[in-house]
Amino acid sequence: MNPIVVIPARMASTRLPNKPLADICGKPMVVHMLDRGREAGIGPVAVACGDPEIAEAVRAYGGRAVLTDPALPSGSDRVHAALAELDPDGKHDVVVNLQGDFPTLDPAGLRLVVTPLHDPGIDIGTLVVPIRDEIEATTVSFVKAACAFKEGETVAPALYFSRVAIPWGLGPRWHHVGIYAYRRAALDRFVSLPPSPLEQRESLEQLRALENGMRIACARMEHGPFGVDTAEDLERARALMAPGAAVSRT
């Protein structure tokens, strides 16, 4: 595999305006994400920017930025559009869509997201972490993945994703971390498909892939990052990433 990492970023955030440029310990959040991508060492890293201010910030720190149409409907569309400039010859056969709001991400997790693609039958790889308690299981902003890992294995097929607590019954449940590794052809196909009924019902774009017969597999991590979506999340990230602080999921 020959991956490329692309971080989609745009200024329009309803809960945290100008989120990509939010300062965390002296750097914009999008630059921290650029650092996490570089630290993973799996391939070149670039930012697909919906706004020129983001591109300016990325370039000021020596990063590669591509301006994309601000009207694009999703991060996946933004990543796909940036590839036309980043890799017009299709040399990179795997595209990692790295969300722009996980500044506490362990770079090892980014390396892990490509492992499901060692199975040639898998179109998209993604990440999950164990759900810790019933509050997390029943919170609709925490997306759950229905998957079951065989003993000793760290990759399992994803059968469904939902905002409700799934699956029913005793056993581990899994919180989905929204980072994806697409085969190049799978990303081409995904963005060409119209929004699907379950995608629209659950407001989860990965269901479009499942509803159209694409195969997603999950790699498990014990701990993952948290997404910065609110001012409170931003303060938490600043505290965790302050010099001398131990970065953790909790």
Side-chain angles (χ1 to χ4, degrees):
M1 290 186 286
N2 183 22
I4 183 171
V5 179
V6 186
I7 304 163
R10 64 188 184 103
M11 297 292 277
S13 171
T14 55
R15 290 186 286 179
L16 188 60
N18 303 331
K19 180 164 66 170
L21 300 186
D23 181 87
I24 301 175
C25 305
K27 288 183 184 179
M29 181 155 55
V30 68
V31 174
H32 282 286
M33 295 310 306
L34 189 67
D35 289 343
R36 301 297 88 75
R38 289 166 167 169
E39 289 159 8
I42 61 173
V45 185
V47 181
C49 309
D51 308 271
E53 303 97 313
I54 301 172
E56 291 170 9
V58 169
R59 290 166 183 156
Y61 282 87
R64 185 167 185 188
V66 176
L67 273 173
T68 58
D69 184 347
L72 288 170
S74 73
S76 299
D77 292 286
R78 201 169 304 286
V79 167
H80 185 261
L83 282 172
E85 179 175 331
L86 293 168
D87 185 29
D89 299 326
K91 295 178 181 177
H92 296 284
D93 58 347
V94 171
V95 185
V96 176
N97 179 346
L98 174 57
Q99 298 280 3
D101 55 7
F102 288 141
T104 65
L105 175 69
D106 183 343
L110 197 55
R111 292 191 287 271
L112 193 62
V113 77
V114 302
T115 58
L117 300 185
H118 290 301
D119 179 344
I122 298 299
D123 300 295
I124 303 168
T126 193
L127 300 172
V128 293
V129 294
I131 288 178
R132 299 170 295 181
D133 52 43
E134 284 303 310
I135 293 176
E136 188 171 323
T138 55
T139 300
V140 296
S141 60
F142 287 92
V143 178
K144 294 83 180 177
C147 54
F149 294 88
K150 295 179 181 178
E151 186 173 355
E153 295 191 1
T154 58
V155 174
L159 302 182
Y160 193 67
F161 297 87
S162 183
R163 297 187 180 277
V164 301
I166 56 171
W168 183 84
L170 297 176
R173 290 178 293 192
W174 300 95
H175 172 196
H176 179 228
V177 179
I179 299 172
Y180 298 95
Y182 291 89
R183 295 193 191 278
R184 187 71 173 263
L187 180 59
D188 289 342
R189 183 180 175 216
F190 178 81
V191 299
S192 73
L193 294 167
S196 63
L198 288 172
E199 172 191 3
Q200 293 175 314
R201 182 170 177 171
E202 294 255 23
S203 191
L204 296 173
E205 70 172 1
Q206 60 269 45
L207 293 178
R208 185 192 320 174
L210 292 181
E211 286 187 85
N212 285 278
M214 300 174 75
R215 295 186 65 199
I216 303 176
C218 302
R220 60 184 290 180
M221 299 189 297
E222 290 308 310
H223 303 284
F226 70 94
V228 176
D229 292 318
T230 66
E232 292 77 16
D233 294 336
L234 181 59
E235 289 306 315
R236 180 183 172 197
R238 287 168 173 162
L240 287 170
M241 300 183 71
V247 174
S248 71
R249 180 173 177 245
T250 54

